[in-house]
Amino acid sequence: MAKLAKLDDIVSLCKRRGFIFQSSEIYGGLASCYDYGPLGAELKRNIRNAWWKHVVQMRDDVVGLDCSILMHPMVWKASGHADKFADLVTVCRKCGTRSRVDHLQDHEGSVEEHTEHIDIESAKSKAAELSRKVCPACGTIGQFGEPMAFRLMFETRMGANVEDTMTLFLRPETAQGIFVNFRNVLDSTRVKIPFGIAQIGKSFRNEVTTKAFIFRTREFEQAELEFFCKPGTDEEWFEHWKQERFNWYINLGIRKENLRFREHAKDELAHYAKACVDIEYKFPFGSGDWQELEGIANRTDFDLRQHQRGIRTMNEWYDKKGDLTKITLKEEAEDYLKGPLAYFDEETRERYIPYVIEPSAGIDRSMLAFLVDAYDEEEVRGEQRNLLRFHPALAPIKAGIFPLVKKDGMPEIAMNIYQDLKRYFPVFYDEKGAVGRRYRRQDEAGTPFCVTVDGQTKEDNTVTIRHRDSMEQVRVPLDQVKSYLRDKLGL
RNA sequence: GCGGGCGUAGCUUAAUGGUAAAGCCCCAGCCUUCCAAGCUGGUUAUGUCGGUUCGAUUCCGAUCGCCCGCUCCA
């Protein structure tokens, strides 16, 4: 069975074979940023496509969307991100333990529960009161260093005229783009609840720490589905998507023993969530090994209701000249059920704000999981064989096409096969060196099949097709190569 | 952000205050009829910046990056 890969082996293989490079490497690198090389770009796109196929293409009740990364600043005011964009962290002078200021408790024992980020101003005022706080590690009271603030959203400026620019945020999640387009999709597509809107795209978060290769980076790609359903049916849909998403990983080859659910306890739920479960993968790094690949949350009607409040706040936006720190979100309208983001059910004549089930997957960390899970080393005739046992749908290259040797007309026949097949899926032609070497190279790229033209080809019009995982070969008539591969590849 | 470890070629490893070496990989050619064969030739490295020095990959300082742990985070 497959060997447990060490992260170092994966990092090394990724660089050697062109899956993933350090960003800006010739300038010494940029922390937490990575570039996808030729094979990595293919693999990542295959993962995106597999997600899209599963979540959008194969479903009659989900449509796609592709929003801009830059959005109106009020989006983040309404979503809560703008007010909760700062963490304040302090260090205990006694034991060196770092704690979030808003997590510290008074020594009288008064408990202040904050699991969300708080705004910088109130965090700073809290920092002044640290004299009464208790270090959770050593119990020392009031021995804290100057708190440090962290800005969790990236900012940028829009407008070329420096005198007249607006501060914008790079989205910290793709979800909000879906909520703000809820009305547009309803009005343009004839979808009826229950239905979902899916999106894949980049998001940006100034994480306090990054971690473990591409696992946690500040720029990352999300695949998110917001599935809108009638209140009361949310728990079934939560279950539905939980299973669907778990099975997606399994069906793409992740071994079952490396995947699990982790339910969130009540006190760790985000402010918007009624329930949340993580799909975790057993990565070869980190303290607990098990790390989140995807979170599935019941976001209730929180977001749509917040945006209805946001819309009502627009006068203040103009009055305060767009200064988000001076703007207070307007209270919800009495008749918010009739608001612009409400849904009217024609059949039951009911009006409501739908509940939302959100499966939110990290594409980059999924890719790392697929890489780790596919990685294998085995001993063949005293030599080590490195290979990636990718599911055919994910393999960057579907087949290598080789002449056994570079003479006797074999290259010409092989080239013809290559020219034909490349119209249907990614294939790779190679005639250099010993055929065994070419096989091994494809093993390391995760190519599931190799087609070899040999001496017998000219006699009976057959070629050999060699399987990556078993190294077995079968003879297949030339005119059936395409259908054989398409069948095995599921294309 | 803290503590620890590490940074010599694509990879794995040498060596040295005075010409940076090798194996594998890679490229070209020859040869090769099924799993990293062989022969010939070739490309490529001391993370970056600065200091000391006649001379620094080596000593010193700073910086960048990666890994492990903590912290943090979904």
Side-chain angles (χ1 to χ4, degrees), chain A residues 5-20:
Chain A
K6 291 196 296 291
L7 189 59
D8 275 341
D9 296 331
I10 300 291
V11 173
S12 165
L13 175 91
C14 282
K15 184 171 184 194
R16 191 168 65 246
R17 287 305 186 206
F19 282 98
I20 300 167

Side-chain angles (χ1 to χ4, degrees), chain A residues 51-111:
Chain A
W51 185 90
W52 196 264
K53 184 174 182 183
H54 168 79
V55 172
V56 181
Q57 184 183 334
M58 298 300 286
R59 307 267 320 188
D60 303 325
D61 55 359
V62 178
V63 294
L65 192 68
D66 188 346
C67 303
S68 67
I69 288 172
L70 300 174
M71 288 191 267
H72 195 288
M74 278 299 292
V75 170
W76 309 113
K77 185 72 185 179
S79 72
H81 289 88
D83 287 338
K84 301 182 178 86
F85 73 134
D87 273 342
L88 234 61
V89 175
T90 185
V91 183
C92 173
R93 291 204 178 97
K94 262 279 192 300
C95 66
T97 300
R98 300 169 66 81
S99 306
R100 257 168 64 177
V101 169
D102 57 332
H103 282 178
L104 291 175
Q105 297 185 1
D106 283 353
H107 70 100
E108 287 91 10
S110 69
V111 179

Side-chain angles (χ1 to χ4, degrees), chain A residues 14 17-21 34-49 221 363-364 367 371 390 393-397 426:
Chain A
C14 282
R17 287 305 186 206
F19 282 98
I20 300 167
F21 306 120
Y34 293 90
D35 298 338
Y36 291 89
L39 287 178
E42 295 291 332
L43 174 58
K44 190 176 174 189
R45 191 159 41 78
N46 289 341
I47 292 170
R48 275 193 216 110
N49 289 346
E221 190 147 349
I363 293 287
D364 310 88
M367 174 158 158
L371 272 166
F390 287 135
L394 299 185
I397 300 168

Side-chain angles (χ1 to χ4, degrees), chain A residues 262-319:
Chain A
R262 191 181 71 81
E263 305 276 351
H264 284 214
K266 278 248 161 19
D267 61 0
E268 66 173 325
L269 288 176
H271 59 283
Y272 52 74
K274 170 177 163 185
C276 188
V277 63
D278 286 344
I279 297 175
E280 294 187 328
Y281 179 77
K282 193 168 188 196
F283 281 102
F285 58 77
S287 46
D289 284 349
W290 292 96
Q291 302 282 343
E292 174 190 357
L293 282 184
E294 168 162 355
I296 299 154
N298 183 341
R299 291 183 79 130
T300 69
D301 54 3
F302 177 84
D303 298 279
L304 291 176
R305 286 169 67 175
Q306 284 295 109
H307 284 300
Q308 289 197 156
R309 292 176 66 191
I311 297 166
R312 285 160 55 80
T313 313
M314 283 310 288
N315 277 344
E316 203 183 339
W317 160 262
Y318 292 113
D319 289 347

